[in-house]
Amino acid sequence: MHTPTPRALIVGMGIGGLATAMRLHEIGWEPVIVERAPERRPAGYFIGLFETGRATAQRMGVLDAIGDRTDPDGMTYDIDRTGRRRPGLGYGDLPGAPRLILRGDIEAALYDTVAHRTDIRYGTTPTALSEDPDGVDVTLHTTGDRESRETTERFDLVVGADGLRSTTRRLAFGPDSDYLRPLHHIIGATILKEPVPGYRPNDGLVLAEPGRSVWTFPFADHQPGVLFNYRTDDEDAQFRLPPAESLRRAFGPEPAGPVLNNLLAQFEQADDYLFDSVHQVEMPTWHTNRVVLLGDAAWCLTLYSGMGASTAMAGADLLGTLLHRNPATITRALREWEQRLRPFITLQQKSGRAQGLTMFVPQTRRDKAVRTAMQQVLSTRLGQRAMQTLAAGRFKEKSIDIAAV
């Protein structure tokens, strides 16, 4: 007797969506990807890939294609507004030796594997889901060059990998306000068009003050990335002004100084940037019987955790494995998937809210003083080795291969 090939609708063509499409195709499913944007996104901002992500990418056969932009000759400096500098701790110096890459490096590696064998529809988003015990009827709205149209198709599974403000989550689980946990911070990120005057292209910079910071991330073969962070009690007010103006106000009223002023100016002139509030997603469950959320749509660790891309790939890899082991019972596969992932994700969220956030943005003068003392310790090789040893325990959870079953 012929068994129909199961179909999965994957909403979102980011890392989680592409990785899910890859794994589902490998286990004999027919994945269909819909993406709201009219075309593929640009390469995007900085990502650190820890061992959890590297192990998953290796198992999926895309680690070599993802590559590594870490510059072994790079140097990171802690600076202040006057331009004073001292040796600092860069992101690539953290325990676990994260690979420094761009979001687009992972997406491109997955896309090259997925695109030729997957139905990908741009300018398309779901507008309604109707789930029953045997499948999900999905109404899809597509915007074309000349007209828009709506169609309804049936799928065995719907995977929402459509980011922090997930349409799939709203349709299946309810409004964003029920699940978004604000961290009361704003981020602004882009790729610099030129190095900061007085520094080499492979120099990283960190200017950290209580409640605000700016980091630049150097790459071996690419212009540096920049990340602005600041705390706010009124997130909505930050979006009533142009992003560059909100950033200048957040880093005022003190004079910016030469480096900060250059970075603000480059952000203002950027062709593409990210400017957004920082939230984690907290949900009592990530799935129904036939709809499952993955990556930022389900848990959004935030960039302060350093594990967003890694957990998106690991979640997709594990989902494929458990669907393959439970071919006749999708609900059981989803239940086992969540039971295995949830403790790991909870740990990563807690780490991102505590150590991760404070590492990027000192919250108090005491945090700033501790950071300054740490830089003095790191000015010696002995101090660097000691700090690596002390910090290793805090980063151990970023090396767990959670999808290996």
Coordinates of all heavy atoms in Angstrom, one line a residue, residues 255-318:
P255 N 29.7 64.2 25.8 CA 30.3 64.2 24.4 C 30.7 62.8 24.0 O 31.2 62.0 24.9 CB 31.6 65.1 24.6 CG 31.3 66.0 25.8 CD 30.4 65.1 26.7
A256 N 30.4 62.4 22.8 CA 30.6 61.1 22.3 C 32.1 60.7 22.3 O 32.5 59.6 22.5 CB 30.0 60.9 21.0
G257 N 32.9 61.7 21.9 CA 34.3 61.3 21.7 C 34.5 60.8 20.3 O 33.6 60.4 19.6
P258 N 35.8 60.6 19.9 CA 36.1 60.3 18.5 C 35.6 58.9 18.1 O 35.0 58.7 17.0 CB 37.6 60.4 18.4 CG 38.1 60.2 19.8 CD 37.0 60.8 20.7
V259 N 35.8 57.9 18.9 CA 35.4 56.5 18.4 C 33.9 56.3 18.4 O 33.3 55.9 17.4 CB 36.1 55.5 19.4 CG1 35.6 54.1 19.0 CG2 37.6 55.5 19.2
L260 N 33.2 56.7 19.5 CA 31.8 56.5 19.6 C 31.1 57.3 18.5 O 30.1 56.9 17.9 CB 31.3 56.9 21.0 CG 29.8 56.8 21.2 CD1 29.3 55.4 20.9 CD2 29.4 57.2 22.7
N261 N 31.6 58.6 18.3 CA 31.0 59.4 17.3 C 31.1 58.8 15.9 O 30.2 58.8 15.1 CB 31.6 60.8 17.3 CG 30.8 61.8 16.5 OD1 29.6 62.0 16.7 ND2 31.5 62.4 15.5
N262 N 32.3 58.2 15.6 CA 32.4 57.5 14.3 C 31.5 56.3 14.2 O 30.9 56.1 13.1 CB 33.9 57.0 14.2 CG 34.1 56.3 12.9 OD1 34.0 55.0 12.9 ND2 34.6 57.0 11.9
L263 N 31.3 55.5 15.2 CA 30.4 54.4 15.2 C 29.0 54.8 15.0 O 28.2 54.2 14.2 CB 30.6 53.5 16.4 CG 32.0 52.8 16.5 CD1 32.1 52.2 17.9 CD2 32.2 51.8 15.4
L264 N 28.6 55.8 15.7 CA 27.2 56.3 15.5 C 27.0 56.8 14.1 O 25.9 56.6 13.5 CB 26.9 57.5 16.6 CG 26.8 57.0 18.0 CD1 26.9 58.2 19.0 CD2 25.5 56.2 18.2
A265 N 28.0 57.5 13.6 CA 27.8 58.1 12.2 C 27.7 56.9 11.2 O 26.9 57.0 10.3 CB 29.0 59.0 11.9
Q266 N 28.5 55.9 11.4 CA 28.5 54.8 10.5 C 27.2 54.0 10.6 O 26.6 53.6 9.5 CB 29.7 53.8 10.7 CG 31.0 54.4 10.3 CD 32.0 53.3 10.0 OE1 31.7 52.4 9.1 NE2 33.1 53.3 10.6
F267 N 26.6 53.9 11.8 CA 25.3 53.3 11.9 C 24.2 54.1 11.1 O 23.4 53.6 10.4 CB 24.9 53.2 13.4 CG 23.6 52.5 13.6 CD1 23.5 51.1 13.8 CD2 22.4 53.2 13.6 CE1 22.3 50.5 13.9 CE2 21.2 52.6 13.8 CZ 21.1 51.2 14.0
E268 N 24.3 55.4 11.3 CA 23.3 56.3 10.6 C 23.4 56.2 9.1 O 22.4 56.3 8.4 CB 23.6 57.7 11.1 CG 22.5 58.7 10.7 CD 22.7 60.0 11.3 OE1 23.8 60.3 11.9 OE2 21.7 60.8 11.4
Q269 N 24.6 55.9 8.6 CA 24.8 55.8 7.1 C 24.7 54.4 6.6 O 24.8 54.2 5.4 CB 26.2 56.4 6.8 CG 26.3 57.9 7.1 CD 27.8 58.3 7.2 OE1 28.7 57.6 6.8 NE2 28.0 59.5 7.7
A270 N 24.4 53.4 7.4 CA 24.3 52.0 7.0 C 23.2 51.8 6.0 O 22.1 52.3 6.2 CB 24.2 51.1 8.2
D271 N 23.4 50.9 5.1 CA 22.4 50.5 4.1 C 21.4 49.5 4.8 O 20.2 49.5 4.4 CB 23.0 49.8 2.9 CG 24.0 50.8 2.2 OD1 23.7 52.0 2.1 OD2 25.0 50.3 1.7
D272 N 21.9 48.7 5.7 CA 21.0 47.7 6.4 C 21.4 47.7 7.8 O 22.6 47.7 8.2 CB 21.2 46.4 5.7 CG 20.4 45.3 6.3 OD1 19.1 45.4 6.2 OD2 20.9 44.4 7.0
Y273 N 20.4 47.6 8.7 CA 20.7 47.6 10.1 C 19.6 46.9 10.9 O 18.5 46.7 10.4 CB 21.0 49.0 10.7 CG 19.7 49.9 10.6 CD1 18.7 49.8 11.5 CD2 19.6 50.8 9.5 CE1 17.6 50.6 11.4 CE2 18.5 51.6 9.4 CZ 17.5 51.5 10.3 OH 16.4 52.3 10.2
L274 N 19.9 46.5 12.1 CA 18.9 46.0 13.0 C 18.8 47.0 14.2 O 19.8 47.4 14.8 CB 19.3 44.6 13.6 CG 18.5 44.0 14.7 CD1 17.1 43.6 14.3 CD2 19.3 42.9 15.4
F275 N 17.5 47.4 14.5 CA 17.3 48.2 15.7 C 16.0 47.7 16.3 O 14.9 47.7 15.7 CB 17.1 49.7 15.3 CG 16.9 50.6 16.4 CD1 17.9 51.1 17.2 CD2 15.6 51.0 16.8 CE1 17.8 51.9 18.2 CE2 15.4 51.9 17.8 CZ 16.5 52.4 18.6
D276 N 16.1 47.1 17.5 CA 15.0 46.4 18.1 C 15.1 46.4 19.6 O 16.2 46.5 20.2 CB 14.9 45.0 17.5 CG 13.5 44.4 17.6 OD1 12.6 45.1 18.1 OD2 13.3 43.3 17.0
S277 N 14.0 46.1 20.3 CA 14.0 45.8 21.7 C 14.3 44.4 21.9 O 14.2 43.5 21.0 CB 12.6 46.1 22.3 OG 11.6 45.5 21.6
V278 N 14.8 44.1 23.1 CA 15.3 42.7 23.5 C 14.2 42.0 24.3 O 13.8 42.5 25.4 CB 16.6 42.8 24.2 CG1 17.1 41.4 24.5 CG2 17.6 43.6 23.4
H279 N 13.8 40.8 23.8 CA 12.8 40.0 24.6 C 13.2 38.6 24.5 O 13.8 38.1 23.5 CB 11.4 40.1 23.9 CG 10.9 41.5 23.9 ND1 10.0 42.0 24.8 CD2 11.0 42.5 23.0 CE1 9.6 43.2 24.5 NE2 10.3 43.6 23.4
Q280 N 12.9 37.8 25.6 CA 12.9 36.4 25.5 C 11.4 36.0 25.3 O 10.5 36.7 25.6 CB 13.5 35.8 26.7 CG 15.0 36.0 26.9 CD 15.6 35.3 28.1 OE1 14.9 34.9 29.0 NE2 16.9 35.1 28.0
V281 N 11.2 34.8 24.8 CA 9.9 34.2 24.7 C 9.7 33.1 25.7 O 10.6 32.2 25.8 CB 9.7 33.6 23.2 CG1 8.3 32.9 23.2 CG2 9.8 34.7 22.2
E282 N 8.7 33.2 26.5 CA 8.4 32.2 27.5 C 7.0 31.6 27.3 O 6.0 32.4 27.3 CB 8.5 32.8 28.9 CG 9.9 33.3 29.3 CD 10.1 33.7 30.7 OE1 9.0 34.1 31.3 OE2 11.2 33.8 31.2
M283 N 6.9 30.3 27.1 CA 5.7 29.6 26.8 C 5.6 28.4 27.6 O 6.6 27.7 27.8 CB 5.6 29.3 25.3 CG 5.8 30.5 24.3 SD 5.6 30.0 22.6 CE 3.8 29.5 22.5
P284 N 4.4 28.0 28.0 CA 4.2 26.7 28.7 C 4.4 25.5 27.8 O 4.7 24.5 28.3 CB 2.8 26.8 29.3 CG 2.1 27.8 28.3 CD 3.1 28.8 27.9
T285 N 4.2 25.7 26.5 CA 4.4 24.6 25.6 C 4.7 25.2 24.2 O 4.3 26.3 23.9 CB 3.2 23.6 25.4 OG1 3.6 22.6 24.5 CG2 2.0 24.3 24.9
W286 N 5.5 24.5 23.4 CA 5.9 25.0 22.1 C 5.2 24.3 21.0 O 5.5 24.6 19.8 CB 7.4 24.8 21.9 CG 8.3 25.5 22.9 CD1 8.1 26.7 23.5 CD2 9.5 25.0 23.4 NE1 9.1 27.0 24.3 CE2 10.0 26.0 24.3 CE3 10.3 23.8 23.2 CZ2 11.3 25.8 25.0 CZ3 11.5 23.7 23.9 CH2 12.0 24.6 24.8
H287 N 4.2 23.5 21.3 CA 3.6 22.7 20.3 C 2.1 22.4 20.6 O 1.7 22.3 21.8 CB 4.3 21.4 19.9 CG 4.2 20.4 21.0 ND1 3.2 19.5 21.1 CD2 5.0 20.2 22.1 CE1 3.4 18.7 22.2 NE2 4.5 19.1 22.8
T288 N 1.3 22.2 19.6 CA 0.0 21.6 19.7 C 0.2 20.2 19.1 O 1.3 19.6 19.1 CB -1.1 22.4 18.9 OG1 -0.7 22.3 17.5 CG2 -1.1 23.8 19.4
N289 N -0.9 19.6 18.6 CA -0.7 18.2 18.0 C 0.0 18.3 16.7 O 0.7 17.3 16.3 CB -2.1 17.6 17.9 CG -2.7 17.2 19.2 OD1 -1.9 16.9 20.2 ND2 -4.0 17.0 19.3
R290 N -0.2 19.4 15.9 CA 0.3 19.5 14.6 C 1.0 20.8 14.2 O 1.4 21.0 13.1 CB -0.9 19.3 13.6 CG -1.6 18.0 13.6 CD -0.9 17.0 12.7 NE -1.5 15.6 12.8 CZ -1.2 14.7 12.0 NH1 -0.4 14.9 11.0 NH2 -1.8 13.5 12.1
V291 N 1.2 21.6 15.2 CA 1.9 22.9 15.0 C 3.0 23.0 16.1 O 2.8 22.7 17.2 CB 1.0 24.1 15.2 CG1 1.7 25.4 15.0 CG2 -0.2 24.0 14.1
V292 N 4.2 23.3 15.6 CA 5.3 23.4 16.5 C 6.1 24.7 16.2 O 6.3 25.1 15.1 CB 6.2 22.2 16.5 CG1 6.9 22.0 15.1 CG2 7.4 22.2 17.5
L293 N 6.6 25.3 17.3 CA 7.4 26.5 17.1 C 8.9 26.1 17.4 O 9.2 25.2 18.2 CB 7.0 27.6 18.1 CG 5.6 28.1 18.0 CD1 5.3 29.1 19.1 CD2 5.3 28.7 16.7
L294 N 9.8 26.9 16.8 CA 11.2 26.5 16.9 C 12.1 27.8 16.8 O 11.7 28.8 16.2 CB 11.6 25.6 15.7 CG 13.0 25.0 15.6 CD1 12.9 23.6 15.0 CD2 13.9 25.8 14.8
G295 N 13.2 27.8 17.6 CA 14.1 29.0 17.5 C 13.5 30.2 18.2 O 12.8 30.0 19.3
D296 N 13.7 31.4 17.7 CA 13.3 32.6 18.3 C 11.7 32.6 18.5 O 11.2 33.2 19.5 CB 13.7 33.8 17.5 CG 15.2 34.1 17.7 OD1 15.8 33.5 18.5 OD2 15.7 35.1 17.0
A297 N 11.0 32.0 17.6 CA 9.5 32.0 17.8 C 9.1 31.2 19.0 O 8.1 31.6 19.7 CB 8.9 31.3 16.6
A298 N 9.9 30.3 19.5 CA 9.6 29.5 20.6 C 10.2 29.9 21.9 O 9.6 29.9 23.0 CB 10.0 28.0 20.4
W299 N 11.5 30.4 21.8 CA 12.3 30.7 23.1 C 13.1 31.9 23.0 O 13.4 32.5 24.0 CB 13.1 29.5 23.5 CG 14.0 28.9 22.4 CD1 15.1 29.4 21.9 CD2 13.8 27.7 21.7 NE1 15.7 28.6 20.9 CE2 14.9 27.5 20.8 CE3 12.9 26.6 21.8 CZ2 15.0 26.4 19.9 CZ3 13.0 25.5 20.9 CH2 14.0 25.4 20.0
C300 N 13.5 32.4 21.9 CA 14.3 33.6 21.7 C 15.3 33.9 22.9 O 15.0 34.6 23.8 CB 13.4 34.8 21.5 SG 14.4 36.3 21.0
L301 N 16.4 33.2 22.8 CA 17.4 33.4 23.9 C 18.0 34.8 23.9 O 18.6 35.1 24.9 CB 18.5 32.3 23.7 CG 18.1 30.9 23.6 CD1 19.2 30.0 23.4 CD2 17.3 30.5 24.9
T302 N 17.9 35.5 22.9 CA 18.5 36.9 22.6 C 20.0 36.7 22.3 O 20.6 35.7 22.7 CB 18.4 37.8 23.8 OG1 19.3 37.5 24.8 CG2 17.0 37.8 24.4
L303 N 20.6 37.7 21.7 CA 22.0 37.6 21.3 C 22.9 37.6 22.6 O 24.1 37.2 22.5 CB 22.4 38.7 20.4 CG 22.1 40.2 20.8 CD1 23.1 40.7 21.7 CD2 22.0 41.0 19.5
Y304 N 22.4 38.0 23.7 CA 23.2 38.0 24.9 C 23.5 36.6 25.4 O 24.5 36.4 26.2 CB 22.5 38.8 26.1 CG 22.2 40.2 25.7 CD1 21.0 40.8 26.0 CD2 23.3 41.0 25.2 CE1 20.8 42.2 25.7 CE2 23.1 42.3 24.9 CZ 21.8 42.9 25.1 OH 21.6 44.2 24.8
S305 N 22.8 35.6 25.0 CA 23.1 34.2 25.3 C 24.2 33.7 24.4 O 24.9 32.7 24.8 CB 21.9 33.4 25.2 OG 21.6 33.1 23.8
G306 N 24.3 34.2 23.2 CA 25.3 33.6 22.2 C 24.9 32.3 21.7 O 25.7 31.6 21.0
M307 N 23.6 31.9 21.9 CA 23.2 30.5 21.5 C 22.0 30.5 20.6 O 21.4 29.4 20.4 CB 22.9 29.7 22.8 CG 24.1 29.4 23.7 SD 25.2 28.3 22.9 CE 24.3 26.7 23.2
G308 N 21.6 31.6 20.1 CA 20.4 31.6 19.2 C 20.5 30.7 18.0 O 19.6 29.9 17.7
A309 N 21.6 30.9 17.2 CA 21.8 30.1 16.0 C 22.0 28.7 16.4 O 21.5 27.8 15.7 CB 23.0 30.7 15.2
S310 N 22.8 28.4 17.4 CA 23.1 27.0 17.8 C 21.8 26.3 18.2 O 21.6 25.1 17.8 CB 24.1 27.0 19.0 OG 25.3 27.5 18.6
T311 N 20.9 26.9 19.0 CA 19.7 26.2 19.4 C 18.7 26.0 18.3 O 17.9 25.1 18.3 CB 19.1 26.8 20.6 OG1 18.8 28.2 20.3 CG2 20.0 26.7 21.9
A312 N 18.7 27.0 17.3 CA 17.8 26.9 16.2 C 18.2 25.6 15.4 O 17.4 24.8 15.0 CB 17.9 28.1 15.3
M313 N 19.5 25.5 15.1 CA 20.0 24.3 14.4 C 19.7 23.0 15.1 O 19.3 22.0 14.6 CB 21.4 24.4 14.0 CG 21.7 25.4 12.9 SD 23.4 25.3 12.2 CE 24.3 25.9 13.7
A314 N 20.1 23.0 16.4 CA 19.9 21.8 17.3 C 18.5 21.4 17.4 O 18.1 20.3 17.3 CB 20.5 22.1 18.6
G315 N 17.6 22.4 17.5 CA 16.2 22.1 17.6 C 15.7 21.5 16.3 O 14.9 20.6 16.4
A316 N 16.1 22.0 15.2 CA 15.7 21.4 13.9 C 16.2 20.0 13.7 O 15.5 19.1 13.3 CB 16.2 22.3 12.8
D317 N 17.5 19.8 14.1 CA 18.1 18.5 13.9 C 17.4 17.5 14.8 O 17.0 16.4 14.3 CB 19.6 18.6 14.4 CG 20.4 17.4 14.1 OD1 19.9 16.5 13.3 OD2 21.5 17.2 14.7
L318 N 17.1 17.8 16.0 CA 16.4 16.9 17.0 C 15.0 16.7 16.5 O 14.5 15.5 16.6 CB 16.4 17.5 18.4 CG 15.8 16.6 19.5 CD1 16.6 15.3 19.6 CD2 15.8 17.4 20.8

